[in-house]
Amino acid sequence: MSSESQSSVTIISVFYNREGYVDRSTKSIIDQTYPNVDILLVDDGSKDKTYEELKKFESSKVTVVTHENKGFTKSIADALKDIKTDYIAIHGSGDISYPHRIEKQVQALEADPDAIMCGVASQNIHHESLMPIDSQTFPRTKVYVSDFFKGTPFTHGSVVYRASEYHRFGGYDPRLTYTQDWDLWLRMLKAGGYALFLEEMLYARVNFPNGASNSAEKAVNQFLHGRAVHYLFNNEDVDRNEFLKNGVSTELFRSDPYLRAEMRAGLSRRALRLRINGMKEESDQLIKFMAIERMPVTKVDRSVFLVASVFELMGADLRNLSAFLRRLVNAVRYYR
């Protein structure tokens, strides 16, 4: 089958201040085995040389655009408004798509016309060493709206949408700085249908020190945006435009005791996850933030931190013990 007769795919990646990661990340999408793709690389007003690095890849198949900084959500929403291909594939800036990723996702969607989108299993890897930190998987091949109630079964950068479905549901809401993916997926799946999940490891998500997974300030904002999205999903009578007109305020987190308790548990788990996977500096930064906000690490996680510290004093590499420590975390939480 010629590439012209195959379904068309736009792969989009939005970059901001990632000049050192452009080459490896962009090559991974250029080297996809699926032939009928157009690649759209967006520079969101970077202050470094990201745009110059992206321009090196410009070709008949690769379009590079730049604009003043307006944030990830507005950048990707604006860029996708006029996309006419059959499918839209997301690729996180700096991340790595393995060669057969797009080919296998398109095959899966072509074989199942009722599926709205497709995600894949992915690894989280260190931004410098590229060593695996952990992985994100899901136990079933079909993912329904109820599977998204507490989070997302797959990472945003690994998703391929049917373009018709993306546009039908209005795409990303530019008023959401974080969890714009979760919001869109809930809106799409609430109307019926399902997503597909491929258990093959086809994507690597690079864990950056200033990413939402590691930055305390971003983690708080991500948490509050998630609660806002969940509230909108569960309250259809709420006027979405009125609810989001002033954005999502971090003051909610500081004034609501329930949110603070939930946030404390979430940050504590993140700090422990980072420590277990050898990212001590990032873990310490989260713990420092928690101390400033008077939210100490939970007693459950503190006990595992103590065990991890003992192993470190013995000269052990915590990454080699990560599976054991995760089992210990689960056991302590279960029996507490």
Side-chain angles (χ1 to χ4, degrees):
M1 183 183 293
S2 68
S3 62
E4 288 78 10
S5 61
Q6 291 178 311
S7 295
S8 54
V9 181
T10 293
I11 305 176
I12 184 169
S13 191
V14 179
F15 286 76
Y16 179 69
N17 289 349
R18 293 274 167 86
E19 61 177 310
Y21 303 93
V22 167
D23 188 74
R24 181 182 63 216
S25 184
T26 303
K27 283 180 179 177
S28 80
I29 50 178
I30 289 176
D31 292 341
Q32 290 295 303
T33 56
Y34 191 78
N36 195 11
V37 299
D38 291 310
I39 298 171
L40 177 57
L41 304 175
V42 180
D43 170 59
D44 183 27
S46 295
K47 297 176 182 177
D48 60 7
K49 296 186 181 298
T50 294
Y51 177 61
E52 288 81 355
E53 291 298 314
L54 290 172
K55 287 288 285 182
K56 294 177 182 178
F57 292 95
E58 202 163 36
S59 69
S60 60
K61 282 289 189 181
V62 181
T63 301
V64 179
V65 298
T66 188
H67 49 63
E68 292 184 359
N69 179 254
K70 53 187 177 182
F72 171 79
T73 313
K74 187 163 177 52
S75 293
I76 195 170
D78 288 349
L80 291 176
K81 280 179 180 177
D82 300 317
I83 294 299
K84 305 297 184 185
T85 51
D86 299 305
Y87 295 100
I88 294 169
I90 310 300
H91 175 89
S93 64
D95 292 349
I96 299 169
S97 287
Y98 297 145
H100 295 283
R101 178 201 151 190
I102 302 300
E103 179 181 1
K104 295 198 172 186
Q105 287 179 287
V106 170
Q107 286 175 350
L109 287 165
E110 300 273 86
D112 192 340
D114 292 329
I116 291 174
M117 59 183 175
C118 180
V120 304
S122 61
Q123 283 184 316
N124 289 310
I125 61 176
H126 192 273
H127 68 287
E128 291 180 342
S129 69
L130 303 187
M131 289 286 292
I133 296 173
D134 55 20
S135 59
Q136 187 169 2
T137 60
F138 190 74
R140 299 193 309 275
T141 57
K142 289 185 178 180
V143 188
Y144 296 93
V145 67
S146 59
D147 296 312
F148 288 85
F149 286 171
K150 292 186 177 181
T152 58
F154 36 71
T155 191
H156 183 210
S158 76
V159 171
V160 172
Y161 300 105
R162 293 189 193 280
S164 58
E165 295 297 309
Y166 174 86
H167 293 305
R168 180 161 78 96
F169 287 94
Y172 299 108
D173 190 325
R175 294 167 296 187
L176 293 170
T177 307
Y178 301 90
T179 64
Q180 63 288 117
D181 50 352
W182 193 25
D183 171 66
L184 174 59
W185 299 344
L186 286 173
R187 284 188 278 120
M188 293 173 83
L189 296 175
K190 189 175 185 178
Y194 48 84
L196 298 177
F197 180 79
L198 304 185
E199 62 182 10
E200 184 176 350
M201 201 69 67
L202 293 170
Y203 191 80
R205 178 176 176 269
V206 177
N207 200 286
F208 292 102
N210 64 344
S213 297
N214 304 330
S215 163
E217 181 180 354
K218 290 180 180 179
V220 169
N221 275 295
Q222 187 181 56
F223 170 81
L224 291 173
H225 277 72
R227 290 299 166 269
V229 165
H230 196 266
Y231 178 78
L232 286 170
F233 176 86
N234 287 313
N235 295 274
E236 293 184 354
D237 57 330
V238 172
D239 186 309
R240 183 184 182 90
N241 292 326
E242 182 68 21
F243 183 78
L244 291 175
K245 71 177 183 180
N246 294 319
V248 180
S249 171
T250 57
E251 291 308 311
L252 287 172
F253 150 69
R254 291 181 170 83
S255 60
D256 189 308
Y258 173 77
L259 288 178
R260 283 182 64 82
E262 197 173 351
M263 190 69 239
R264 176 194 175 198
L267 285 177
S268 185
R269 286 193 295 271
R270 288 188 190 216
L272 182 57
R273 169 180 166 269
L274 291 167
R275 182 66 175 275
I276 287 173
N277 289 291
M279 303 177 71
K280 186 176 184 300
E281 182 179 348
E282 291 86 349
S283 176
D284 289 344
Q285 288 174 354
L286 280 182
I287 293 172
K288 183 179 179 181
F289 172 85
M290 293 174 70
I292 293 172
E293 292 289 340
R294 298 182 180 179
M295 297 187 303
V297 171
T298 63
K299 291 181 180 179
V300 173
D301 292 334
R302 199 179 307 151
S303 62
V304 183
F305 267 111
L306 180 60
V307 174
S309 297
V310 171
F311 278 126
E312 283 184 322
L313 289 173
M314 295 169 61
D317 186 338
L318 293 186
R319 287 174 296 187
N320 296 331
L321 296 165
S322 60
F324 164 75
L325 289 169
R326 287 193 195 99
R327 286 195 295 270
L328 179 61
V329 171
N330 292 333
V332 172
R333 285 184 180 141
Y334 180 79
Y335 289 109
R336 63 177 176 173

